[in-house]
Amino acid sequence: GVSPATGPVAGGSTVTITGTALTGATAVKFGSTNATSFIVDSATQITAVSPAASAGLVDITVTTVGGTSATSANDQYNYVAAPTIISIAPTMARLAAGPRS
């Protein structure tokens, strides 16, 4: 499993990866890009920092001396782009009047 399963395209999110036989992990990848950093917390958990990427789904894989984890819907991470403001209407507003003396 992956938690959270969604993060910004800028990267930098802390992601908890759960599975089995994670001890001795030598690499954690988000798609084809290495995690910015990772720590093996236990044989069943790794904490990784997501790298920057384009918007969309990627598989997270873990590599140990035993090989690389298979991919499935459970290991997907969704990079989401920040919102973009195209226009604001109205473009001007009247300041609120304060109390009169």
Side-chain angles (χ1 to χ4, degrees):
V2 175
S3 180
T6 302
V9 295
S13 295
T14 299
V15 179
T16 301
I17 302 161
T18 55
T20 59
L22 300 176
T23 303
T26 57
V28 174
K29 290 191 174 191
F30 287 67
S32 61
T33 306
N34 286 324
T36 303
S37 64
F38 70 91
I39 297 171
V40 178
D41 301 315
S42 69
T44 59
Q45 181 174 299
I46 291 176
T47 303
V49 177
S50 65
S54 299
L57 281 174
V58 297
D59 288 302
I60 295 177
T61 56
V62 175
T63 302
T64 68
V65 294
T68 300
S69 59
T71 59
S72 72
N74 293 331
D75 67 33
Q76 291 185 328
Y77 185 77
N78 190 20
Y79 280 99
V80 180
T84 302
I85 297 173
I86 297 171
S87 68
I88 298 173
T91 58
M92 295 175 30
R94 193 172 145 196
L95 293 175
R100 293 185 183 194
S101 325

